[in-house]
Amino acid sequence: MMTEMNKIGAIILLIFFLTSSLGSLSSPVKTIRQKLISKEIEIELPEPFHIQSLNEDESISYIYSFPDSAYVIICEGALISFPIDQYEPDSTLEIDHRKIHKGLVEGKFWRKDEIDDMRFYYNDVSLSNKSIYDEILDSIKYITLTCKK
């Protein structure tokens, strides 16, 4: 027979296990090739995710949303903006031709990378999943570069 203290301990362990596995992105990774306006990129994303595309005048964006409420945006073109573009960065770093802005809003992390007319974002990321989303943006590869006519 379980004592009251053992029941409480078991309930706490069960809650900890359930909440830690719900927010985890340790699921399989899917490699996506995404065509933009003048470039094609390859990005590795944890599954499951939902994708939405936005085509504006001379701009194209793909928004990948995840079960933990975070999302990643891939964008080419200057005529579209997102709320993250208005955020004031806590830090800015320039590596090669990539400018990286990072910050924290309402306890959640965001990041915006700029390379020429390409922008890569993540937003609404918890501390426990921040390294996963950093890896997503850091691992983006260019597959093709074409000339605009």
Side-chain angles (χ1 to χ4, degrees), residues 27-33 42-49 51 64 66 136 139:
S27 56
V29 173
K30 183 173 184 177
T31 301
I32 303 284
R33 281 194 175 195
E42 186 174 275
I43 184 170
E44 295 182 357
L45 300 168
E47 292 185 301
F49 60 85
I51 184 170
Y64 304 92
F66 300 91
I136 290 170
S139 67

PDB file of all heavy atoms in Angstrom, residues 27-33 42-49 51 64 66 136 139:
ATOM      1  N   SER A  27      11.986  14.640 -31.794  1.00  0.00           N
ATOM      2  CA  SER A  27      11.355  13.792 -32.780  1.00  0.00           C
ATOM      3  C   SER A  27      12.226  13.690 -34.035  1.00  0.00           C
ATOM      4  O   SER A  27      13.240  14.367 -34.155  1.00  0.00           O
ATOM      5  CB  SER A  27       9.984  14.374 -33.120  1.00  0.00           C
ATOM      6  OG  SER A  27      10.128  15.700 -33.542  1.00  0.00           O
ATOM      7  N   PRO A  28      11.825  12.856 -34.984  1.00  0.00           N
ATOM      8  CA  PRO A  28      12.604  12.724 -36.222  1.00  0.00           C
ATOM      9  C   PRO A  28      12.762  14.061 -36.945  1.00  0.00           C
ATOM     10  O   PRO A  28      11.913  14.942 -36.829  1.00  0.00           O
ATOM     11  CB  PRO A  28      11.768  11.757 -37.064  1.00  0.00           C
ATOM     12  CG  PRO A  28      10.822  11.107 -36.131  1.00  0.00           C
ATOM     13  CD  PRO A  28      10.636  12.028 -34.968  1.00  0.00           C
ATOM     14  N   VAL A  29      13.842  14.163 -37.683  1.00  0.00           N
ATOM     15  CA  VAL A  29      14.135  15.392 -38.426  1.00  0.00           C
ATOM     16  C   VAL A  29      13.866  15.141 -39.903  1.00  0.00           C
ATOM     17  O   VAL A  29      14.207  14.094 -40.445  1.00  0.00           O
ATOM     18  CB  VAL A  29      15.602  15.811 -38.207  1.00  0.00           C
ATOM     19  CG1 VAL A  29      15.976  16.985 -39.086  1.00  0.00           C
ATOM     20  CG2 VAL A  29      15.832  16.154 -36.747  1.00  0.00           C
ATOM     21  N   LYS A  30      13.244  16.119 -40.553  1.00  0.00           N
ATOM     22  CA  LYS A  30      12.969  16.024 -41.981  1.00  0.00           C
ATOM     23  C   LYS A  30      13.752  17.111 -42.705  1.00  0.00           C
ATOM     24  O   LYS A  30      13.728  18.272 -42.300  1.00  0.00           O
ATOM     25  CB  LYS A  30      11.467  16.206 -42.233  1.00  0.00           C
ATOM     26  CG  LYS A  30      11.085  16.041 -43.684  1.00  0.00           C
ATOM     27  CD  LYS A  30       9.586  16.056 -43.864  1.00  0.00           C
ATOM     28  CE  LYS A  30       9.226  15.787 -45.311  1.00  0.00           C
ATOM     29  NZ  LYS A  30       7.775  15.718 -45.496  1.00  0.00           N
ATOM     30  N   THR A  31      14.443  16.737 -43.766  1.00  0.00           N
ATOM     31  CA  THR A  31      15.177  17.698 -44.580  1.00  0.00           C
ATOM     32  C   THR A  31      14.263  18.189 -45.691  1.00  0.00           C
ATOM     33  O   THR A  31      13.692  17.400 -46.440  1.00  0.00           O
ATOM     34  CB  THR A  31      16.438  17.058 -45.176  1.00  0.00           C
ATOM     35  OG1 THR A  31      17.258  16.590 -44.099  1.00  0.00           O
ATOM     36  CG2 THR A  31      17.224  18.057 -46.005  1.00  0.00           C
ATOM     37  N   ILE A  32      14.119  19.513 -45.762  1.00  0.00           N
ATOM     38  CA  ILE A  32      13.230  20.151 -46.727  1.00  0.00           C
ATOM     39  C   ILE A  32      14.070  20.980 -47.688  1.00  0.00           C
ATOM     40  O   ILE A  32      14.958  21.711 -47.260  1.00  0.00           O
ATOM     41  CB  ILE A  32      12.255  21.120 -46.013  1.00  0.00           C
ATOM     42  CG1 ILE A  32      11.428  20.419 -44.949  1.00  0.00           C
ATOM     43  CG2 ILE A  32      11.383  21.870 -47.003  1.00  0.00           C
ATOM     44  CD1 ILE A  32      10.331  19.579 -45.494  1.00  0.00           C
ATOM     45  N   ARG A  33      13.792  20.876 -48.975  1.00  0.00           N
ATOM     46  CA  ARG A  33      14.351  21.805 -49.961  1.00  0.00           C
ATOM     47  C   ARG A  33      13.253  22.792 -50.307  1.00  0.00           C
ATOM     48  O   ARG A  33      12.167  22.390 -50.721  1.00  0.00           O
ATOM     49  CB  ARG A  33      14.818  21.076 -51.206  1.00  0.00           C
ATOM     50  CG  ARG A  33      16.146  20.417 -51.014  1.00  0.00           C
ATOM     51  CD  ARG A  33      16.724  20.004 -52.339  1.00  0.00           C
ATOM     52  NE  ARG A  33      18.059  19.472 -52.122  1.00  0.00           N
ATOM     53  CZ  ARG A  33      18.933  19.293 -53.068  1.00  0.00           C
ATOM     54  NH1 ARG A  33      18.615  19.596 -54.307  1.00  0.00           N
ATOM     55  NH2 ARG A  33      20.113  18.813 -52.800  1.00  0.00           N
ATOM     56  N   GLU A  42      18.161  24.404 -48.217  1.00  0.00           N
ATOM     57  CA  GLU A  42      17.872  23.139 -47.554  1.00  0.00           C
ATOM     58  C   GLU A  42      17.853  23.419 -46.061  1.00  0.00           C
ATOM     59  O   GLU A  42      18.748  24.078 -45.539  1.00  0.00           O
ATOM     60  CB  GLU A  42      18.947  22.111 -47.899  1.00  0.00           C
ATOM     61  CG  GLU A  42      18.668  20.730 -47.374  1.00  0.00           C
ATOM     62  CD  GLU A  42      19.701  19.734 -47.873  1.00  0.00           C
ATOM     63  OE1 GLU A  42      19.519  19.199 -48.993  1.00  0.00           O
ATOM     64  OE2 GLU A  42      20.679  19.519 -47.133  1.00  0.00           O
ATOM     65  N   ILE A  43      16.830  22.941 -45.387  1.00  0.00           N
ATOM     66  CA  ILE A  43      16.663  23.172 -43.967  1.00  0.00           C
ATOM     67  C   ILE A  43      16.207  21.867 -43.307  1.00  0.00           C
ATOM     68  O   ILE A  43      15.423  21.121 -43.893  1.00  0.00           O
ATOM     69  CB  ILE A  43      15.661  24.330 -43.716  1.00  0.00           C
ATOM     70  CG1 ILE A  43      15.535  24.653 -42.238  1.00  0.00           C
ATOM     71  CG2 ILE A  43      14.325  24.059 -44.347  1.00  0.00           C
ATOM     72  CD1 ILE A  43      14.757  25.924 -41.957  1.00  0.00           C
ATOM     73  N   GLU A  44      16.736  21.595 -42.132  1.00  0.00           N
ATOM     74  CA  GLU A  44      16.361  20.402 -41.379  1.00  0.00           C
ATOM     75  C   GLU A  44      15.432  20.809 -40.250  1.00  0.00           C
ATOM     76  O   GLU A  44      15.789  21.639 -39.414  1.00  0.00           O
ATOM     77  CB  GLU A  44      17.600  19.700 -40.841  1.00  0.00           C
ATOM     78  CG  GLU A  44      18.472  19.154 -41.939  1.00  0.00           C
ATOM     79  CD  GLU A  44      19.681  18.401 -41.420  1.00  0.00           C
ATOM     80  OE1 GLU A  44      19.887  18.342 -40.191  1.00  0.00           O
ATOM     81  OE2 GLU A  44      20.422  17.869 -42.256  1.00  0.00           O
ATOM     82  N   LEU A  45      14.228  20.220 -40.235  1.00  0.00           N
ATOM     83  CA  LEU A  45      13.197  20.587 -39.275  1.00  0.00           C
ATOM     84  C   LEU A  45      12.718  19.368 -38.500  1.00  0.00           C
ATOM     85  O   LEU A  45      12.507  18.306 -39.091  1.00  0.00           O
ATOM     86  CB  LEU A  45      12.008  21.221 -39.996  1.00  0.00           C
ATOM     87  CG  LEU A  45      12.307  22.481 -40.794  1.00  0.00           C
ATOM     88  CD1 LEU A  45      11.133  22.836 -41.686  1.00  0.00           C
ATOM     89  CD2 LEU A  45      12.627  23.625 -39.849  1.00  0.00           C
ATOM     90  N   PRO A  46      12.512  19.526 -37.190  1.00  0.00           N
ATOM     91  CA  PRO A  46      11.950  18.416 -36.413  1.00  0.00           C
ATOM     92  C   PRO A  46      10.476  18.226 -36.753  1.00  0.00           C
ATOM     93  O   PRO A  46       9.763  19.197 -36.999  1.00  0.00           O
ATOM     94  CB  PRO A  46      12.137  18.868 -34.958  1.00  0.00           C
ATOM     95  CG  PRO A  46      12.271  20.342 -35.016  1.00  0.00           C
ATOM     96  CD  PRO A  46      12.831  20.683 -36.365  1.00  0.00           C
ATOM     97  N   GLU A  47      10.052  16.988 -36.814  1.00  0.00           N
ATOM     98  CA  GLU A  47       8.650  16.691 -37.094  1.00  0.00           C
ATOM     99  C   GLU A  47       7.909  16.500 -35.788  1.00  0.00           C
ATOM    100  O   GLU A  47       8.506  16.091 -34.804  1.00  0.00           O
ATOM    101  CB  GLU A  47       8.542  15.436 -37.958  1.00  0.00           C
ATOM    102  CG  GLU A  47       9.087  15.652 -39.356  1.00  0.00           C
ATOM    103  CD  GLU A  47       8.880  14.456 -40.248  1.00  0.00           C
ATOM    104  OE1 GLU A  47       9.389  13.362 -39.899  1.00  0.00           O
ATOM    105  OE2 GLU A  47       8.186  14.607 -41.259  1.00  0.00           O
ATOM    106  N   PRO A  48       6.639  16.799 -35.728  1.00  0.00           N
ATOM    107  CA  PRO A  48       5.788  17.307 -36.790  1.00  0.00           C
ATOM    108  C   PRO A  48       5.868  18.823 -36.889  1.00  0.00           C
ATOM    109  O   PRO A  48       6.247  19.497 -35.932  1.00  0.00           O
ATOM    110  CB  PRO A  48       4.387  16.880 -36.339  1.00  0.00           C
ATOM    111  CG  PRO A  48       4.461  16.924 -34.850  1.00  0.00           C
ATOM    112  CD  PRO A  48       5.869  16.511 -34.512  1.00  0.00           C
ATOM    113  N   PHE A  49       5.505  19.346 -38.045  1.00  0.00           N
ATOM    114  CA  PHE A  49       5.402  20.782 -38.236  1.00  0.00           C
ATOM    115  C   PHE A  49       4.314  21.062 -39.260  1.00  0.00           C
ATOM    116  O   PHE A  49       3.904  20.193 -40.015  1.00  0.00           O
ATOM    117  CB  PHE A  49       6.736  21.411 -38.675  1.00  0.00           C
ATOM    118  CG  PHE A  49       7.278  20.876 -39.963  1.00  0.00           C
ATOM    119  CD1 PHE A  49       6.869  21.388 -41.187  1.00  0.00           C
ATOM    120  CD2 PHE A  49       8.215  19.854 -39.957  1.00  0.00           C
ATOM    121  CE1 PHE A  49       7.370  20.899 -42.376  1.00  0.00           C
ATOM    122  CE2 PHE A  49       8.730  19.362 -41.141  1.00  0.00           C
ATOM    123  CZ  PHE A  49       8.308  19.885 -42.352  1.00  0.00           C
ATOM    124  N   ILE A  51       3.270  23.846 -42.343  1.00  0.00           N
ATOM    125  CA  ILE A  51       3.878  24.848 -43.214  1.00  0.00           C
ATOM    126  C   ILE A  51       2.791  25.722 -43.845  1.00  0.00           C
ATOM    127  O   ILE A  51       1.728  25.237 -44.217  1.00  0.00           O
ATOM    128  CB  ILE A  51       4.752  24.196 -44.307  1.00  0.00           C
ATOM    129  CG1 ILE A  51       5.451  25.262 -45.141  1.00  0.00           C
ATOM    130  CG2 ILE A  51       3.954  23.252 -45.159  1.00  0.00           C
ATOM    131  CD1 ILE A  51       6.504  24.727 -46.085  1.00  0.00           C
ATOM    132  N   TYR A  64       6.990  27.822 -40.737  1.00  0.00           N
ATOM    133  CA  TYR A  64       6.927  26.468 -40.195  1.00  0.00           C
ATOM    134  C   TYR A  64       6.564  26.590 -38.720  1.00  0.00           C
ATOM    135  O   TYR A  64       7.320  27.175 -37.945  1.00  0.00           O
ATOM    136  CB  TYR A  64       8.270  25.755 -40.331  1.00  0.00           C
ATOM    137  CG  TYR A  64       8.779  25.712 -41.750  1.00  0.00           C
ATOM    138  CD1 TYR A  64       9.615  26.704 -42.241  1.00  0.00           C
ATOM    139  CD2 TYR A  64       8.419  24.674 -42.601  1.00  0.00           C
ATOM    140  CE1 TYR A  64      10.091  26.669 -43.543  1.00  0.00           C
ATOM    141  CE2 TYR A  64       8.893  24.630 -43.909  1.00  0.00           C
ATOM    142  CZ  TYR A  64       9.724  25.633 -44.372  1.00  0.00           C
ATOM    143  OH  TYR A  64      10.191  25.599 -45.653  1.00  0.00           O
ATOM    144  N   PHE A  66       5.399  24.722 -34.983  1.00  0.00           N
ATOM    145  CA  PHE A  66       5.691  23.487 -34.265  1.00  0.00           C
ATOM    146  C   PHE A  66       4.766  23.328 -33.059  1.00  0.00           C
ATOM    147  O   PHE A  66       4.200  24.317 -32.574  1.00  0.00           O
ATOM    148  CB  PHE A  66       7.156  23.483 -33.822  1.00  0.00           C
ATOM    149  CG  PHE A  66       8.108  23.578 -34.983  1.00  0.00           C
ATOM    150  CD1 PHE A  66       8.555  24.813 -35.428  1.00  0.00           C
ATOM    151  CD2 PHE A  66       8.520  22.447 -35.650  1.00  0.00           C
ATOM    152  CE1 PHE A  66       9.406  24.920 -36.512  1.00  0.00           C
ATOM    153  CE2 PHE A  66       9.379  22.536 -36.744  1.00  0.00           C
ATOM    154  CZ  PHE A  66       9.828  23.781 -37.173  1.00  0.00           C
ATOM    155  N   ILE A 136      18.668  24.871 -36.170  1.00  0.00           N
ATOM    156  CA  ILE A 136      17.867  24.932 -37.407  1.00  0.00           C
ATOM    157  C   ILE A 136      18.357  26.086 -38.280  1.00  0.00           C
ATOM    158  O   ILE A 136      18.646  25.899 -39.468  1.00  0.00           O
ATOM    159  CB  ILE A 136      16.364  25.090 -37.086  1.00  0.00           C
ATOM    160  CG1 ILE A 136      15.813  23.799 -36.481  1.00  0.00           C
ATOM    161  CG2 ILE A 136      15.582  25.467 -38.346  1.00  0.00           C
ATOM    162  CD1 ILE A 136      14.399  23.930 -35.918  1.00  0.00           C
ATOM    163  N   SER A 139      22.053  25.710 -39.600  1.00  0.00           N
ATOM    164  CA  SER A 139      22.324  24.636 -40.563  1.00  0.00           C
ATOM    165  C   SER A 139      21.697  24.856 -41.935  1.00  0.00           C
ATOM    166  O   SER A 139      21.788  23.983 -42.801  1.00  0.00           O
ATOM    167  CB  SER A 139      21.847  23.297 -39.990  1.00  0.00           C
ATOM    168  OG  SER A 139      20.441  23.304 -39.876  1.00  0.00           O
TER     169      SER A 139
END
